[in-house]
Amino acid sequence: MKQLFGKAFFKEMLPLAIPIALQNLLMASFRLIDMLMLGQYSGDAMAAVDLASQTSFLVDLISFGVSSGCAVFLAQYHGANNREGILRVMGCGLVSLVPLGLLVMIVALSFPEAIMRLLTDDARLREIGVSYLSVAAYSYLFIVVNMVLSTVLRSTEHVRLPLIASSISAAANAALNYMLIFGKLGFPALGARGAGIATAISSALGPLILLSVSLIRKNVLASSPRLIFRLKGFFLPFWKRSLPAFLNETLWSASIVVVNAIFGHMGADNYAGLSTVRTIENLVFVFFVGVCHACNILVGKHIGAGDEPGAKRIASSFLVLTPAMGLLLGSIVLMLRGPVVDLFQISDTSKSVARALLLMYAFEIGLRNIPYIAVVGIFRAGGDTRIGFFGDLGVQYLVVIPVAALLGLVLKLPFVTTFIVMQLCDDLAKNLIYLIYYRKDKWIKPVARIGIDAN
């Protein structure tokens, strides 16, 4: 254990993990603030916005897929001191994601009713969801740009600036929510639509702050566009290695939307309870996000520098750290689940659902996050993007969706039973696949030569 958790490990890990975790905590606060304030406004508004946010969730996950592809290169290039490669990766990310953000934004603005109809058969939830989606969709372009810029900064160990930008965005989101949902300080009470306006405005602040400060500090983001978009001979090799990560996140997020649509047809009270749980889960998950990104940076950096034994040692440390964190965080969730659920103004049925799901979550947090650390933090940092693609999608489409549909829509089992069985099938299958694969050491596949050879 001393070899896995010596002073050197924490000296490398904590300065990266803490700021990244705080940044993601602030980003998660967007959702928490929306849900808490909308829950105070009405339970229907909270459930409707959660459903409407599936489009944003899709954009987030696709953006994360591309950014994960970028991170495959970035950490290794950083370890190899390949600045030219880092800039080209940023260019690939922007060229890939900006058109996507625009496309989804246009579709959501043009067909909000059709999107909500796919997600729920409750007419009231559809009406509220449309009012939110028709404004919040403007945030999608800013979300994708922010994702790329933040990924470049974090992967090159510039972790404070994304934290500062997220802090300002989160504060703006909270203030605007307060004014526009409830009609404070002379503004009209717009409910869900007000939350959509707050989301759109606050999302724009992140990339604006990152670019403005970068121009002043002259960091990597302030480089010449000619160098950033010098992609000839690099774009196709980049996508050849990144495509599995992109498809992994894109198709995985699509599967989650399908599962949410199944749950959306199992009753508004049940879905409101699930929305509450996911809001709480997002806050807990930020600690694993910080650890995962630190893992990705350090594993990739050591591989880029040619230190494969060091990369393996660090990877093993993070795999042991994850369940240990799960025990600690699970204990906190177990103690606080009642009082936290009571903060939400939802029905007694919804609160009962939320408490039951949080009880299960408290006992299996570590189990649920081991696959995340393995795929995103270790395998992709090592240059292996294929195992996550086959493992995640195989389990999602062959196990998770069929189990949810069979139990929830065909057999019509209780919502809590359906969710727990589905989640356990998901977690156990992925842990088995990834832990076996990790032990084979096939995930170390250096990518540094791609950026050096391209011209």
Side-chain angles (χ1 to χ4, degrees):
M1 291 298 286
K2 288 183 178 179
Q3 196 173 21
L4 291 178
F5 297 110
K7 290 183 179 179
F9 170 74
F10 288 105
K11 188 175 180 179
E12 281 190 294
M13 185 269 289
L14 291 176
L16 296 172
I18 292 174
I20 294 171
L22 288 174
Q23 182 195 359
N24 283 274
L25 178 63
L26 290 166
M27 297 305 292
S29 74
F30 272 58
R31 176 182 171 83
L32 175 64
I33 291 166
D34 283 351
M35 293 298 104
L36 280 174
M37 291 191 181
L38 286 166
Q40 296 287 332
Y41 188 80
S42 82
D44 282 350
M46 187 180 77
V49 167
D50 187 73
L51 283 167
S53 295
Q54 295 309 302
T55 309
S56 175
F57 174 75
L58 191 63
V59 172
D60 283 337
L61 266 294
I62 292 173
S63 301
F64 182 70
V66 175
S67 296
S68 293
C70 293
V72 170
F73 290 82
L74 288 168
Q76 290 195 30
Y77 286 164
H78 180 53
N81 294 314
N82 183 358
R83 182 182 177 86
E84 183 179 336
I86 291 170
L87 295 178
R88 285 176 167 178
V89 172
M90 179 166 62
C92 287
L94 292 171
V95 167
S96 302
L97 278 177
V98 169
L100 177 69
L102 283 170
L103 175 62
V104 180
M105 181 183 76
I106 292 169
V107 170
L109 292 173
S110 302
F111 308 103
E113 175 66 32
I115 292 172
M116 289 305 302
R117 193 172 293 276
L118 289 173
L119 295 170
T120 181
D121 53 8
D122 189 307
R124 175 60 179 159
L125 295 185
R126 287 203 305 269
E127 179 185 357
I128 298 172
V130 166
S131 71
Y132 172 84
L133 189 59
S134 59
V135 182
Y138 287 105
S139 68
Y140 300 159
L141 177 60
F142 304 118
I143 287 172
V144 299
V145 173
N146 190 73
M147 182 71 78
V148 174
L149 301 183
S150 294
T151 299
V152 172
L153 289 170
R154 288 196 302 255
S155 296
T156 54
E157 299 187 77
H158 293 89
V159 294
R160 292 184 180 179
L161 179 53
L163 173 60
I164 293 169
S166 296
S167 300
I168 296 172
S169 296
N173 186 59
L176 290 169
N177 268 320
Y178 176 73
M179 292 185 287
L180 297 174
I181 292 175
F182 302 108
K184 302 296 184 180
L185 303 179
F187 288 88
L190 300 177
R193 185 173 181 81
I197 295 171
T199 296
I201 294 174
S202 56
S203 295
L205 292 176
L208 289 174
I209 293 168
L210 293 179
L211 289 172
S212 299
V213 176
S214 294
L215 288 172
I216 295 170
R217 293 184 176 179
K218 305 297 182 183
N219 65 25
V220 66
L221 299 189
S223 301
S224 166
R226 180 180 60 83
L227 296 176
I228 293 172
F229 296 105
R230 187 167 169 255
L231 305 181
K232 184 179 179 181
F234 181 74
F235 192 75
L236 290 180
F238 167 84
W239 269 108
K240 183 178 180 181
R241 186 62 67 96
S242 300
L243 186 60
F246 169 73
L247 292 177
N248 182 0
E249 299 300 337
T250 301
L251 296 177
W252 181 84
S253 63
S255 75
I256 296 299
V257 172
V258 172
V259 171
N260 287 336
I262 292 171
F263 292 149
H265 287 82
M266 293 181 70
D269 281 340
N270 288 325
Y271 201 87
L274 179 60
S275 298
T276 300
V277 170
R278 284 179 174 159
T279 301
I280 298 166
E281 283 181 8
N282 284 343
L283 293 177
V284 177
F285 183 57
V286 299
F287 297 99
F288 293 99
V289 171
V291 167
C292 184
H293 280 285
C295 177
N296 181 281
I297 294 166
L298 295 176
V299 170
K301 181 179 176 181
H302 279 265
I303 292 174
D307 180 18
E308 293 186 9
K312 293 177 184 178
R313 184 183 66 254
I314 288 171
S316 296
S317 298
F318 278 100
L319 279 181
V320 174
L321 179 64
T322 300
M325 286 177 58
L327 288 173
L328 174 61
L329 294 170
S331 300
I332 295 171
V333 170
L334 195 62
M335 290 187 294
L336 299 180
R337 67 189 180 102
V340 171
V341 169
D342 286 338
L343 293 174
F344 294 83
Q345 297 299 312
I346 53 179
S347 70
D348 289 341
T349 300
S350 298
K351 288 183 178 180
S352 177
V353 168
R355 292 190 188 101
L357 297 186
L358 281 175
L359 179 63
M360 177 237 188
Y361 178 63
F363 283 103
E364 61 120 38
I365 294 177
L367 184 70
R368 189 176 300 187
N369 284 284
I370 289 173
Y372 169 65
I373 299 295
V375 172
V376 180
I378 298 173
F379 300 151
R380 290 180 187 170
D384 189 332
T385 56
R386 293 177 178 271
I387 181 60
F389 172 78
F390 291 110
D392 279 7
L393 298 186
V395 173
Q396 289 296 126
Y397 286 92
L398 298 179
V399 178
V400 174
I401 291 176
V403 167
L406 175 65
L407 300 184
L409 301 182
V410 178
L411 299 179
K412 298 188 182 301
L413 295 185
F415 180 83
V416 171
T417 302
T418 298
F419 184 89
I420 290 176
V421 172
M422 179 209 73
Q423 192 65 59
L424 286 174
C425 289
D426 182 8
D427 295 336
L428 291 172
K430 288 177 183 173
N431 272 273
L432 181 65
I433 292 169
Y434 295 137
L435 291 177
I436 290 174
Y437 187 79
Y438 173 77
R439 291 177 62 86
K440 295 181 178 180
D441 287 342
K442 294 181 178 180
W443 49 272
I444 298 181
K445 300 177 179 180
V447 300
R449 292 298 308 173
I450 294 174
I452 296 171
D453 296 341
N455 53 47

